[in-house]
């Protein structure tokens, strides 16, 4: 991902809901339990980890049994240390005490709880980028030290790869309505990192890299699920056994993508990844970001939003303001001759429809405004007013260009815009003869778009000629 391009806006759950989700995650709840369990007799090693002799007692305190109990308890303790739930008191005696942040989980505001959870998330993501224990054991020397030179592992590259995967997962699953319900197949996520967009047919070497990355991600998402970042269906164990077996594997249904792992970002995970993206310098908007800003920021900021996100953002903005004052502020912000002005006016008109009849006095005040008069007439007519003054022909053409420019900015060369272009040309036989004279900054661009979009070659040619005249008239 490029940090120069804004990401799509997302709708987050409330902080209260997210805090409840965070407190219920298995890993953070275990870390909090261990922080309360720790006492004067608790001992840690030089790195702050529980000494091996105390892991069985820690696992018992957590109610963990089985072969992985000690490892799970160790992981929970590491998260407790990294997120400030426990702290080393005496480095000489290797004793610990309850950390100040533990109180935030029970007595802090939702934002405080989420801050602790974000610290835990960073700890788990860092752990996920480290090779598994078996790989480390394989390169230990006789003294028990790890010889990292023998590992095919670059810590910085591995962390960047995982960050890239999580960024792509954000892009693939985050929508303006929240995290998408459809999980992402693990092979698709691995391929998004390794297969270039211009590669039509991946080579065997690239496919092998995707397969290796998929197995690595399977291990990593198994670690990331307990902190609440994702909902994960792991790679089928039978498939892993088939890949490791020397004998040919039994036939499988290659269309069953569920066997290869499925991952979905949770609402809490969406919040967490967005926080990490913002920290890394990305522009990652969320619905509600503009609610306390001016109308100019609302109209410009929501210009690139989808329709539902723009509606939700505007509703939150309006909820904080008196209706008539909000209408006047919106109309003032909609003025302008810059390239973004037509879309601002379209967003303004949509916002005024949410204000309703309370906006009528403000709208009537701009009936004679060169840039807002057309918008005002349309809005009043839609409201049901019967005394709306008829627009001049010049105003009709100006409003048509302005509307097309706004649609072009919002949707590009969409089917809806093409239908609008075809309808205009059909209803007004002399449209292009008059349109090129319209004194609007976007006239050449709109006419060029009409030439691209209209399926009739003769009409398209008329549009292009008109665009040339308009550009010449404007000195372009």
């Amino acid at each position: 991902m490029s940090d120069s391009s804004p990401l799509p806006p997302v709708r987050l759950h409330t902080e209260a809901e997210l805090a409840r989700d965070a407190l219920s995650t298995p890993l953070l709840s275990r870390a909090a339990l261990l922080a309360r369990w720790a006492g004067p007799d608790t001992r840690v090693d030089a790195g702050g980890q529980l000494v091996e002799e105390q892991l069985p007692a820690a696992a018992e305190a957590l109610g963990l049994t089985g072969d992985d109990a000690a490892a799970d308890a160790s992981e929970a303790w590491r998260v407790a240390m990294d997120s400030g739930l426990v702290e080393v008191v005496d480095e000489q005696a290797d004793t610990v005490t309850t950390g100040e942040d533990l109180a935030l989980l029970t007595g802090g505001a939702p934002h405080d709880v989420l801050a602790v959870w974000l610290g835990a998330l960073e700890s788990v993501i860092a752990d996920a980028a480290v090779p598994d224990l078996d790989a480390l054991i394989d390169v230990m020397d006789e003294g028990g030290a790890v010889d990292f030179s023998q590992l095919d592992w670059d810590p910085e590259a591995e962390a960047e790869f995982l960050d890239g995967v999580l960024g792509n997962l954000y892009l693939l699953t985050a929508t303006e309505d929240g995290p998408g319900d459809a999980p992402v197949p693990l092979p698709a996520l691995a391929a998004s990192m390794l297969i270039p967009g211009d590669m039509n047919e991946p080579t065997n070497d690239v496919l092998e890299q995707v397969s290796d990355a998929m197995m690595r991600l399977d291990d990593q998402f198994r670690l990331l699920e307990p902190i609440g970042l994702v909902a994960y269906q792991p790679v089928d164990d039978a498939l892993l056994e088939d890949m490791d077996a020397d004998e040919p594997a039994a036939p499988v249904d290659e269309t069953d993508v569920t066997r290869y792992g499925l991952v979905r970002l949770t609402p809490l995970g969406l919040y967490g990844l967005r926080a990490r993206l913002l920290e890394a310098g990305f522009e990652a908007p969320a619905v509600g970001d503009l609610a306390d800003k001016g109308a100019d920021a609302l109209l410009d900021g929501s210009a690139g939003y989808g329709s539902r996100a723009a509606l939700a953002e505007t509703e939150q903005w309006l909820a904080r303001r008196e209706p008539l004052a909000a209408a006047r502020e919106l109309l003032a912000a909609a003025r302008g001759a810059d390239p973004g002005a037509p879309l601002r006016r379209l967003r303004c008109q949509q916002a005024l429809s949410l204000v309703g009849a309370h906006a009528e006095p403000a709208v009537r005040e701009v009936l004679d405004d060169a840039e807002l008069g057309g918008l005002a007439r349309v809005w009043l007519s839609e409201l049901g007013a019967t005394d709306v003054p008829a627009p001049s022909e010049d105003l009709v053409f100006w409003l048509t260009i302005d509307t097309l420019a706004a649609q072009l900015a919002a949707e590009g060369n969409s089917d809806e815009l093409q239908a609008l272009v075809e309808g205009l040309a059909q209803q007004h036989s002399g449209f292009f003869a008059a349109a090129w004279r319209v004194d609007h900054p976007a006239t050449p661009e709109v006419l060029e778009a009409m030439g691209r979009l209209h399926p009739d070659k003769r009409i398209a040619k008329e549009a292009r000629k008109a665009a040339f005249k308009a550009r010449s008239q404007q000195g372009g």
Side-chain angles (χ1 to χ4, degrees):
M1 297 189 311
S2 168
D3 58 6
S4 63
S5 301
L7 296 163
V10 294
R11 297 190 70 174
L12 300 175
H13 286 195
T14 65
E15 286 197 340
E17 293 172 314
L18 293 169
R20 285 195 294 271
D21 290 346
L23 290 171
S24 66
T25 59
L27 200 45
L28 185 59
S29 59
R30 287 176 184 171
L33 280 172
L34 284 186
R36 297 186 183 97
W37 164 82
D41 296 329
T42 305
R43 292 293 179 270
V44 295
D45 61 22
Q49 301 307 306
L50 275 178
V51 295
E52 188 173 350
E53 293 79 9
Q54 295 198 325
L55 287 176
E60 183 179 354
L62 295 175
L64 299 174
T65 58
D67 295 340
D68 295 330
D72 290 342
S74 178
E75 181 185 21
W77 179 264
R78 187 162 54 252
V79 167
M81 286 291 298
D82 290 346
S83 55
L85 302 182
V86 288
E87 298 173 353
V88 175
V89 177
D90 186 340
E91 293 185 2
Q92 298 297 324
D94 293 328
T95 56
V96 297
T97 188
T98 299
E100 294 180 0
D101 286 350
L102 181 61
L104 297 177
L105 296 184
T106 53
H111 184 76
D112 298 323
V113 173
L114 290 170
V116 175
W117 178 80
L118 285 171
L121 176 65
E122 287 302 319
S123 173
V124 177
I125 290 177
D127 284 348
V130 175
D132 61 33
L133 184 59
D134 290 339
L136 294 177
I137 290 175
D138 289 342
V139 295
M140 277 187 178
D141 60 25
E142 294 180 357
V146 176
D147 183 0
F148 287 101
S149 64
Q150 293 186 42
L151 272 177
D152 184 17
W153 178 59
D154 179 338
E156 184 175 342
E158 190 68 26
E160 288 180 358
F161 182 82
L162 183 55
D163 282 343
V165 167
L166 294 177
N168 282 0
L169 181 61
Y170 185 93
L171 283 173
L172 290 169
T173 63
T175 70
E176 59 188 52
D177 295 320
D181 292 330
V184 179
L186 203 58
L189 192 55
S192 72
M193 292 294 296
L194 297 169
I195 300 180
D198 57 354
M199 181 179 285
N200 296 325
E201 192 69 32
T203 63
N204 289 336
D205 181 57
V206 169
L207 291 176
E208 185 176 346
Q209 291 178 44
V210 170
S211 180
D212 290 344
M214 187 180 76
M215 294 300 100
R216 196 158 80 249
L217 290 174
D218 178 61
D219 291 334
Q220 291 171 330
F221 282 126
R222 288 175 193 251
L223 292 174
L224 293 170
E225 185 175 36
I227 196 61
L229 183 73
V230 296
Y232 183 56
Q233 178 178 322
V235 175
D236 189 343
D237 287 339
L239 180 64
L240 295 176
E241 292 171 5
D242 290 345
M243 293 177 67
D244 292 335
D246 293 332
E247 298 180 2
V252 298
D253 180 6
E254 295 185 358
T255 63
D256 184 11
V257 296
T258 61
R259 298 192 71 214
Y260 297 88
L262 296 171
V263 60
R264 177 176 57 82
L265 203 58
T266 65
L268 182 61
L270 176 66
Y271 169 86
L273 288 192
R274 177 176 179 266
R276 298 186 85 240
L277 288 166
L278 290 172
E279 181 69 20
F282 287 85
E283 184 178 343
V287 173
D289 284 351
L290 307 175
D292 60 349
K293 294 179 170 56
D296 53 346
L298 172 70
L299 298 182
D300 280 328
S302 65
Y305 287 14
S307 58
R308 291 189 298 275
L311 175 64
E313 187 73 64
T314 303
E315 287 174 338
Q316 292 191 36
W317 189 88
L318 290 171
R320 302 189 180 195
R321 292 162 176 79
E322 187 274 323
L324 182 57
R328 288 194 172 108
E329 187 179 349
L330 286 166
L331 286 163
R335 290 190 174 92
D338 57 283
L343 187 51
R344 283 204 305 275
R345 283 186 278 273
L346 176 62
R347 293 295 192 214
C348 173
Q349 186 175 335
Q350 293 167 341
L352 291 174
S353 69
L354 297 177
V355 179
H358 294 292
E360 184 172 358
V363 175
R364 288 188 177 276
E365 289 168 5
V366 299
L367 277 170
D368 294 330
D369 187 281
E371 294 174 345
L372 302 178
L375 177 157
R377 285 166 171 77
V378 171
W379 187 89
L380 288 168
S381 298
E382 291 176 348
L383 185 67
T386 58
D387 59 342
V388 182
S392 66
E393 184 178 53
D394 287 346
L395 181 56
V396 169
F397 275 96
W398 192 94
L399 181 60
T400 300
I401 295 294
D402 199 61
T403 301
L404 288 172
Q407 294 289 346
L408 193 61
E411 303 173 8
N413 298 333
S414 65
D415 293 340
E416 292 77 8
L417 184 57
Q418 181 173 343
L420 182 58
V421 166
E422 291 180 36
L424 276 172
Q426 184 176 2
Q427 294 169 18
H428 305 283
S429 58
F431 177 81
F432 297 112
W436 70 267
R437 304 175 189 274
V438 174
D439 186 18
H440 190 296
T443 298
E445 180 186 359
V446 167
L447 292 174
E448 285 173 356
M450 294 182 76
R452 287 196 310 271
L453 292 170
H454 205 289
D456 186 297
K457 292 183 178 180
R458 179 186 61 80
I459 297 176
K461 186 176 181 180
E462 285 185 38
R464 289 194 295 271
K465 285 184 176 180
F468 178 79
K469 292 181 179 179
R471 197 170 295 284
S472 297
Q473 178 177 257
Q474 293 186 5

